[in-house]
Amino acid sequence: GVTIFDSETRANLPAKSGLEHLRVLCNTLCDHEPANDTDVAMTLHRLAEKVRRRALVIIFSDLFDDLERVRNALAHFRRRKHDVVVYHVLDKAEIEFPFRDVGNFQDLETGETLITNPREVRSAYQEAFADFLQGCQRICAGLDIEYVLAPTDRPVGAFVQEHMIRRKRAGR
């Protein structure tokens, strides 16, 4: 199944088998345009309540939320004995911060823009972002959740397939 959300659930398709259902899931994902602020933690708590039977829960998210709230939401899945994989979806530019020239930076969720000189903020940004990544990894490790950094410059289908093959070989 698949659930697409921001601060609200935008699509919720139940788990089913079959190629036709897989086509519907893929089309739903392809047709969705991100638009609003997200509330990762609240939505994950809601989903944890809805998934009754033990399941493999795969989360694709940038995890941009208060990390303690995210930890609590992920722990909710684990208390219900779900096997959880987090694909931490990030743009390569978010990770590397390759910017050199003064310019506009726009928050794609809120539309807010900021004009800044990347050279003045690079060091602080990279330090804060490294702390954020380590926090996400620590949370997942502490909850026995599989964490996978998923840069957006790699085709998602091939990336997930490769990971699932490695996961199967590891006996998970």
Side-chain angles (χ1 to χ4, degrees):
V2 100
T3 299
I4 298 173
F5 65 90
D6 43 47
S7 57
E8 298 178 34
T9 299
R10 300 297 174 184
N12 189 24
L13 301 171
K16 292 183 185 176
S17 61
L19 290 177
E20 177 60 21
H21 186 62
L22 179 60
R23 185 189 64 74
V24 170
L25 293 179
C26 290
N27 286 341
T28 300
L29 289 168
C30 287
D31 293 343
H32 178 72
E33 287 290 328
N36 301 311
D37 287 343
T38 57
D39 191 334
V40 175
M42 179 185 67
T43 306
L44 291 179
H45 275 299
R46 285 186 197 148
L47 288 172
E49 284 298 315
K50 285 184 180 182
V51 181
R52 300 278 183 216
R53 294 189 334 212
R54 242 180 116 210
L56 171 61
V57 176
I58 300 175
I59 299 166
F60 290 87
S61 176
D62 58 19
L63 300 177
F64 290 144
D65 199 338
D66 176 86
L67 288 185
E68 186 58 26
R69 291 182 65 227
V70 170
R71 191 202 73 70
N72 292 337
L74 293 173
H76 194 160
F77 282 106
R78 294 299 290 140
R79 282 191 303 276
R80 291 179 165 266
K81 308 292 187 220
H82 297 299
D83 185 6
V84 181
V85 177
V86 171
Y87 286 103
H88 195 179
V89 181
L90 296 167
D91 189 275
K92 196 172 183 179
E94 291 173 309
I95 299 166
E96 296 176 0
F97 201 77
F99 310 105
R100 302 273 181 247
D101 299 324
V102 173
N104 289 329
F105 290 82
Q106 182 178 23
D107 183 317
L108 296 178
E109 293 177 358
T110 66
E112 181 182 347
T113 59
L114 173 69
I115 299 173
T116 192
N117 182 346
R119 294 169 193 203
E120 292 176 4
V121 299
R122 175 173 284 103
S123 179
Y125 173 88
Q126 289 175 325
E127 185 178 323
F129 200 78
D131 289 347
F132 169 71
L133 282 178
Q134 289 171 357
C136 294
Q137 293 164 350
R138 241 187 334 269
I139 286 167
C140 289
L143 294 170
D144 194 27
I145 289 175
E146 197 169 349
Y147 172 92
V148 182
L149 183 61
T152 59
D153 63 338
R154 295 203 46 213
V156 69
F159 181 82
V160 170
Q161 184 177 26
E162 289 168 13
H163 172 252
M164 288 297 161
I165 290 169
R166 284 192 309 273
R167 181 180 158 83
K168 185 176 181 179
R169 286 184 185 142
R172 289 196 75 154

